[in-house]
Amino acid sequence: MKLATKYIHAGAHPDPSTGAIMTPIYQTSTYVQSAPGVNKGYEYARSQNPTRFALEEAFAVIENGKFGLAFASGVAATDAVMRLLVPGDEVVAAHDMYGGTFRLFSKVYEKMGIKFIYVDTSDANNVAKAMTTATKLIWLETPTNPLMNISDIEAVATIGKKHNCMVCVDNTFASPYLQNPLDFGATIVMHSATKYLGGHSDVIQGCLVMNDQVLRDQLYFIQKSTGAVPGPQDCFLVLRGIKTLHVRMQRHCENGIKVAAYLKQHPKVGKVYWCGFEDHPNHAIAKKQMRGYGGMMSFTLKEDTLEAATKVLSSTKIFSLAESLGGVESLINHPASMTHASIPRAQRIANGLSDGLIRLSVGIEDAEDLIADLANAIG
Ligand SMILES: *Cc1c(COP(=O)(O)O)cnc(C)c1O
């Protein structure tokens, strides 16, 4: 089945009691049992909810996986994966990933005895070199936030298999429309559904998708035992968002190409980070594993200072200054003070994330209006 058809029908079954074409919001905490232990498969809504189950099926369908699980946020989904580990285990992780993931690893799990080795995963050899007998998880993010570095999922998955180690890919930036990590051998795909899957900046949610039944059962056990489940209303919103994912992503990609090209030729713009450029260091890998390049990009001004960046960040009218990404409206963000403030400055700079870096989430408005807005702000 082609993507457009898949996204519209993923997880959708007419409601058994009425035939309602849209999955109802089952706003209930519990279910009436006909006798002790005799029920319809639903006992308590932390463990089972039909709206959530429909969404979890949709997650699996759109990521070409067998099982999906929904969480109260993207970070809660990441946290569930971390709970598979025990003290002494090691994690090899991307050195320039999402700041909240870094914070969870370094501030919550390090003190619990998990060891993290951060490497530049855009070269798979760095991952291979960091592996030890204690490595139980490789955490990849591709493209990375905000520098748009690309890692070769297939090459890293091969390393993981050789060491009997799980590979989890944060696929938030690409969305399932552009990339399906399980197809390249990843063990788990993680999304912040808050972003492209929800798509309308009105919900916080996360998901995991996997193929292995034993792993699914372990993660389901963690989901219900630790309780970071999304409510049915939020599940409904993400189910609805998924139905237009392909249409939105097509426009994000079209606008992304135009905005990236505009920035690249601008005399006041320094470097543009976007994996669709042929001179992007990992463009060949991006081309191999992605179906397009999306609307996420970052850039610096030639005058790469906080002051010059601040002027642009405060002058746009259509691009709103805000954290987050992947919604229909365009956002502009300052990673150093906003999304990535939890990474120590020295480490940020060493990773190539300067104080003047500006990140864009190019929305699905008219591209000419977006470019005019940037032209006006950059001056
Ligand atoms: C937003 C984001 C997360 C965290 O997701 P939340 O839904 O905000 O908890 C994780 N990874 C990436 C790449 C993100 O952009």
Side-chain angles (χ1 to χ4, degrees):
M1 204 183 277
K2 296 278 190 342
L3 294 184
T5 319
K6 234 163 71 164
Y7 292 163
I8 288 170
H9 296 280
H13 308 287
D15 182 53
S17 58
T18 63
I21 191 161
M22 287 301 139
T23 307
I25 300 166
Y26 282 90
Q27 193 77 48
T28 187
S29 61
T30 192
Y31 307 89
V32 177
Q33 312 202 4
S34 53
V38 183
N39 57 58
K40 298 182 158 79
Y42 296 89
E43 298 159 298
Y44 186 64
R46 175 159 34 77
S47 306
Q48 306 103 359
N49 180 286
T51 319
R52 195 178 87 220
F53 282 177
L55 176 62
E56 290 178 333
E57 185 188 330
F59 283 150
V61 169
I62 66 177
E63 272 297 5
N64 299 340
K66 289 207 179 93
F67 310 104
L69 291 169
F71 292 86
S73 67
V75 163
T78 304
D79 180 71
V81 174
M82 293 311 297
R83 288 169 192 267
L84 294 165
L85 307 181
V86 297
D89 285 351
E90 292 182 12
V91 178
V92 174
H95 76 328
D96 66 338
M97 59 192 176
Y98 174 68
T101 308
F102 177 74
R103 182 175 58 199
L104 179 70
F105 288 1
S106 61
K107 297 277 164 56
V108 179
Y109 280 98
E110 219 168 272
K111 67 172 191 250
M112 295 195 188
I114 312 282
K115 191 174 161 201
F116 296 89
I117 297 99
Y118 299 100
V119 300
D120 177 357
T121 56
S122 66
D123 181 351
N125 290 322
N126 294 336
V127 177
K129 278 188 222 139
M131 301 296 289
T132 74
T133 49
T135 316
K136 294 287 147 54
L137 174 68
I138 301 170
W139 190 272
L140 273 193
E141 193 181 305
T142 180
T144 59
N145 179 4
L147 290 174
M148 307 303 294
N149 287 317
I150 302 290
S151 296
D152 186 333
I153 300 171
E154 198 170 19
V156 173
T158 306
I159 295 166
K161 285 208 182 86
K162 205 173 118 199
H163 289 81
N164 204 13
C165 165
M166 293 182 290
V167 176
C168 184
V169 179
D170 181 339
N171 202 27
T172 303
F173 260 43
S175 91
Y177 180 78
L178 298 181
Q179 175 174 285
N180 299 112
L182 297 181
D183 292 352
F184 295 102
T187 325
I188 307 173
V189 183
M190 173 262 162
H191 280 278
S192 167
T194 311
K195 316 294 169 52
Y196 286 107
L197 298 182
H200 296 75
S201 308
D202 52 9
V203 66
I204 294 281
Q205 197 178 95
C207 83
L208 299 175
V209 180
M210 70 263 16
N211 280 318
D212 185 82
Q213 173 85 57
V214 174
L215 183 59
R216 182 263 167 204
D217 292 348
Q218 285 171 337
L219 288 164
Y220 173 68
F221 181 81
I222 290 169
Q223 182 200 39
K224 76 172 180 187
S225 303
T226 63
V229 291
Q233 168 100 26
D234 287 355
C235 291
F236 174 86
L237 286 172
V238 176
L239 265 174
R240 182 156 90 160
I242 289 172
K243 288 183 195 295
T244 56
L245 180 65
H246 53 295
V247 190
R248 289 184 284 110
M249 287 309 298
Q250 276 160 16
R251 182 62 75 85
H252 282 297
C253 289
E254 285 166 24
N255 285 357
I257 291 169
K258 291 178 187 162
V259 172
Y262 169 75
L263 289 173
K264 194 168 194 176
Q265 56 76 49
H266 197 294
K268 285 195 186 165
V269 170
K271 194 159 179 208
V272 185
Y273 299 84
W274 183 65
C275 57
F277 290 135
E278 281 182 13
D279 61 2
H280 180 287
N282 301 112
H283 180 69
I285 294 164
K287 210 168 157 181
K288 178 184 90 169
Q289 66 193 18
M290 298 174 77
R291 288 182 280 266
Y293 307 108
M296 292 306 299
M297 64 192 68
S298 298
F299 69 99
T300 54
L301 297 166
K302 284 223 173 90
E303 188 192 337
D304 188 7
T305 62
L306 182 58
E307 293 69 34
T310 302
K311 195 182 147 282
V312 174
L313 288 155
S314 353
S315 313
T316 53
K317 301 214 160 48
I318 299 174
F319 282 86
S320 302
L321 179 62
E323 298 198 5
S324 201
L325 59 110
V328 291
E329 64 286 296
S330 294
L331 300 180
I332 191 165
N333 169 288
H334 184 232
S337 69
M338 296 166 75
T339 43
H340 291 64
S342 53
I343 302 173
R345 183 167 185 273
Q347 188 180 338
R348 248 198 299 112
I349 305 273
N351 292 350
L353 204 163
S354 72
D355 287 339
L357 191 80
I358 296 170
R359 190 188 81 182
L360 299 180
S361 171
V362 176
I364 64 172
E365 300 97 331
D366 188 278
E368 275 180 35
D369 290 335
L370 296 179
I371 288 170
D373 193 35
L374 290 170
N376 187 50
I378 296 169

